[in-house]
Amino acid sequence: MKKIILILFLTMNTMNSQEKLPFYEITEIPNEINSTNLMVRMIEGLGFRYHWATENITEKDLKYRPSKDAMSNYETIEHIYDLSNTIYNSSKSLPNIRSQKKTSMDFISLRKETLNNLKLTHEVFTSFNDEDLKNVKIIFQGNSGNYEFPIWNLINGPISDAIYHTGQLVSFRRTSGNPIPKGVNVFLGAKN
């Protein structure tokens, strides 16, 4: 039974690798420096790093945890997915509702949905001008009401947190014996 599950996992992972998901590479450098272009580039940088941090990840990688108290790579991927929801909702100033319930998605679905959330966020921010960015709010909806924060908290909160955890995935999969694919150049935003 374990062999069948592993074969199915590897087949699905190979199929996932062949589907061109968002952020395989990032766009050309913008002609103008402004707040909107900077925000768009941050989302692209996160998307590109996440795309390659999760490309060809194995079941062994997903189970890896550096200590018994640490999150596994799979749990980290779930957390990044949650962050991507917060980032997307915030780009549209929609409320984020905290849930204690864990997602029931498999890795392939989590990866695809996370990248799609970042793509949708990218599209929203690309349509904005600098004045529109000033109106972006992070809204957390709770039992005692809504809590609103400005876009600055989106940068140092969920976006930075997602970048941080994506770096953990890169490090942990290297530790479990499966480094990211050769030729990924995060400085240029391309794969050679």
Side-chain angles (χ1 to χ4, degrees):
M1 183 67 170
K2 283 185 177 182
K3 285 183 181 181
I4 293 171
I5 291 171
L6 181 59
I7 290 169
L8 180 61
F9 175 81
L10 293 174
T11 302
M12 295 292 287
N13 202 21
T14 302
M15 288 170 39
N16 185 43
S17 298
Q18 293 171 352
E19 179 184 354
K20 196 162 185 177
L21 293 172
F23 302 108
Y24 177 87
E25 58 189 5
I26 59 177
T27 61
E28 294 293 320
I29 297 169
N31 293 326
E32 184 181 346
I33 294 178
N34 58 40
S35 300
T36 301
N37 285 341
L38 290 170
M39 184 61 84
V40 166
R41 197 59 164 203
M42 286 185 73
I43 298 300
E44 286 183 329
L46 167 57
F48 180 79
R49 286 170 185 270
Y50 181 81
H51 178 105
W52 291 106
T54 56
E55 179 75 8
N56 296 327
I57 206 163
T58 67
E59 185 175 6
K60 179 182 174 186
D61 299 323
L62 291 172
K63 290 179 179 177
Y64 178 80
R65 68 178 72 235
S67 70
K68 65 180 176 79
D69 296 329
M71 288 192 294
S72 69
N73 276 337
Y74 178 80
E75 291 164 337
T76 301
I77 289 167
E78 284 182 314
H79 180 56
I80 296 170
Y81 167 72
D82 290 341
L83 292 168
S84 77
N85 280 326
T86 300
I87 293 166
Y88 173 66
N89 287 341
S90 299
S91 74
K92 299 187 69 83
S93 296
L94 297 172
N96 293 284
I97 303 166
R98 298 276 178 166
S99 173
Q100 300 299 328
K101 187 175 81 169
K102 285 289 187 189
T103 181
S104 60
M105 283 192 274
D106 62 20
F107 161 71
I108 293 169
S109 299
L110 278 171
R111 179 176 191 248
K112 185 175 183 177
E113 289 304 311
T114 300
L115 288 166
N116 283 330
N117 280 341
L118 295 174
K119 180 182 180 212
L120 291 170
T121 302
H122 178 270
E123 290 169 1
V124 171
F125 283 147
T126 301
S127 73
F128 280 3
N129 60 39
D130 286 358
E131 197 59 37
D132 295 328
L133 280 180
K134 291 180 184 177
N135 297 318
V136 170
K137 300 277 185 234
I138 304 174
I139 304 168
F140 292 108
Q141 185 176 340
N143 293 337
S144 57
N146 288 351
Y147 300 93
E148 290 188 12
F149 300 90
I151 193 168
W152 302 111
N153 295 82
L154 184 63
I155 296 168
N156 61 275
I159 293 173
S160 294
D161 198 25
I163 293 169
Y164 174 87
H165 288 300
T166 299
Q168 286 179 310
L169 293 174
V170 171
S171 176
F172 294 166
R173 69 180 283 182
R174 186 181 307 124
T175 303
S176 66
N178 182 23
I180 65 171
K182 290 194 183 312
V184 175
N185 188 326
V186 294
F187 182 74
L188 296 177
K191 184 176 185 302
N192 303 330

